[in-house]
Amino acid sequence: LEVKEGATIGGEVAVRFKGANGHPEEFVTVVPVGAPDLAEPAWAATGGRKEGSVNVRVYGETGQYEARFITRVDGENVLAGRSRPFQLNLPQVTLKVSGTVSAATTMTVEWTGPARLDDWIGWAKAGSKEGEYGLFVRPEPGQKTVRLISPSEPGDYEVRYSNDYDPKVLARASFKVVESEYALEAPAEWMAGRPVSIGWKAPKGPGIYLTIVPAGAQDREYTDYFYTADATSPAVLQTPRSDGRYEIRINLESDGKVFFRRPIVLTPIKATLEAPENGKAGATIEVKWSGPGGKGDFVTVTSPDADSREYTSYFDAGESPGMGELRLPDEPGNYEIRYVAGEEKVVARRTIRVE
């Protein structure tokens, strides 16, 4: 057995073998010097070959190791050969990060290391156990930096370089998280269902969003929303269509944390319609309207007993501010012109006779 030099703990040890019997159940192990003959902490099958090479991934402590060849004799494992002892050390790893970062923002970590498939770079609370982490990414060969979203809670933390299969921390770098700046500007009262413009200040980190929810709602609840990373201030949110006490919130998607909130009272929806009292079948009429003009609101003409979600000719209220056109039904009779909020709530109606 011959071992290629340069392997490290957590990496693959390349072992070349020859003179094997070619038994299908033969394998190569890599163990600390002095381990029992048939110890199998790390091994790789030879595939029944009489000579060749295998790669054995080794986890554990630094020190002197050896490769061993295990064959089968009369149904039993037998040690058939071993390599010269060789040293396995920890890989060379470095981490560098800014000493202070704002909560829930993107932080850049400079690193060097082996970038094995199961390695990770992540942050954890200072003083927490090895193997613990809050958020991590996989380093890739050729990279010099990775980006992480910093913790949402202020405090002392550290960036760690570790591995899925061995909790040993190979490198660490300390940093402090400080509170970010948050602010919200919006009317104290607003009509339910009407889009509202909101001035805001918050980090543009991934997963941070603004929404409007009933006062006292659970932290993870949301209605219409936008991500701060994709928006500028001010930005518009669609308000809920039920009146009452609400909160505008700045939330973090990953853990539901509410960073900041501002109360807002939504008043009942009001809408009006102005249109002719009658019209000819198939004709086009103009309809003036006032109302919330929210997402999905529309004005339509339909039979008086139709369900609130039914419609014939219609126009989108938000795209036809103040006035729009409707084509009257082809069949004469009594109909209703309706303002429908959110595709299901009729908030204004007006009778029209089609002749």
Side-chain angles (χ1 to χ4, degrees):
L1 297 171
E2 294 180 0
V3 176
K4 185 177 180 179
E5 295 181 359
T8 57
I9 293 294
E12 291 185 335
V13 177
V15 182
R16 181 162 184 81
F17 63 91
K18 62 180 179 178
N21 293 328
H23 193 286
E25 296 182 21
E26 290 176 332
F27 57 95
V28 173
T29 65
V30 175
V31 300
V33 172
D37 286 352
L38 300 180
E40 302 176 17
W43 62 276
T46 63
R49 293 172 293 165
K50 292 186 177 182
E51 65 176 275
S53 61
V54 294
N55 292 322
V56 183
R57 187 175 294 276
V58 180
Y59 299 98
E61 301 299 324
T62 60
Q64 289 283 296
Y65 284 74
E66 63 183 17
R68 297 175 179 174
F69 194 95
I70 309 299
T71 188
R72 298 282 285 180
V73 177
D74 296 330
E76 300 290 336
N77 286 345
V78 175
L79 174 61
R82 68 182 77 210
S83 70
R84 293 178 180 177
F86 58 93
Q87 180 71 21
L88 285 183
N89 294 316
L90 293 176
Q92 295 296 312
V93 180
T94 64
L95 292 171
K96 184 178 180 181
V97 66
S98 174
T100 303
V101 298
S102 297
T105 57
T106 300
M107 56 187 290
T108 299
V109 181
E110 298 179 28
W111 67 276
T112 62
R116 299 164 301 210
L117 290 177
D118 43 15
D119 286 356
W120 56 263
I121 297 173
W123 55 255
K125 270 280 191 182
S128 59
K129 295 179 180 179
E130 292 193 338
E132 293 186 3
Y133 58 85
L135 190 69
F136 74 90
V137 295
R138 300 288 186 191
E140 297 181 5
Q143 284 182 332
K144 294 183 179 180
T145 62
V146 294
R147 303 176 75 188
L148 291 167
I149 305 304
S150 64
S152 60
E153 296 287 346
D156 294 321
Y157 295 83
E158 61 184 25
V159 177
R160 296 174 172 178
Y161 191 112
S162 191
N163 183 277
D164 290 346
Y165 300 101
D166 186 346
K168 188 186 288 90
V169 176
L170 301 177
R172 63 186 81 211
S174 300
F175 67 99
K176 181 181 287 292
V177 174
V178 297
E179 191 68 76
S180 294
E181 293 186 51
Y182 301 93
L184 289 169
E185 294 182 1
E189 289 189 354
W190 196 253
M191 183 194 296
R194 174 175 289 176
V196 60
S197 179
I198 300 171
W200 59 272
K201 186 174 184 179
K204 287 204 165 191
I208 300 176
Y209 65 94
L210 270 68
T211 190
I212 301 175
V213 297
Q218 296 293 318
D219 288 353
R220 289 184 179 273
E221 290 190 29
Y222 62 91
T223 56
D224 189 36
Y225 65 92
F226 64 81
Y227 290 107
T228 59
D230 303 327
T232 56
S233 179
V236 174
L237 278 176
Q238 170 65 49
T239 61
R241 291 180 168 87
S242 297
D243 59 284
R245 295 186 178 278
Y246 288 79
E247 287 182 344
I248 305 169
R249 292 178 177 178
I250 303 175
N251 277 48
L252 180 62
E253 188 173 48
S254 60
D255 61 12
K257 178 180 173 64
V258 178
F259 291 119
F260 197 81
R261 62 188 84 208
R262 178 187 176 92
I264 184 171
V265 175
L266 298 184
T267 59
I269 294 179
K270 294 181 180 179
T272 63
L273 294 167
E274 293 183 25
E277 295 183 354
N278 52 67
K280 293 184 179 181
T284 298
I285 62 169
E286 288 186 349
V287 179
K288 293 182 180 180
W289 66 272
S290 67
K295 293 179 182 178
D297 290 8
F298 64 94
V299 177
T300 189
V301 57
T302 187
S303 61
D305 59 351
D307 183 87
S308 62
R309 289 170 291 186
E310 292 186 27
Y311 60 91
T312 56
S313 173
Y314 74 94
F315 62 82
D316 186 292
E319 296 178 359
S320 305
M323 186 175 68
E325 293 184 342
L326 290 177
R327 185 181 184 278
L328 297 179
D330 294 327
E331 294 292 329
N334 292 322
Y335 291 86
E336 273 188 352
I337 299 172
R338 295 175 174 179
Y339 185 106
V340 183
E343 302 181 1
E344 59 183 22
K345 188 174 185 179
V346 178
V347 294
R349 62 185 81 213
R350 180 183 178 89
T351 302
I352 185 169
R353 174 71 183 175
V354 175
E355 301 173 342

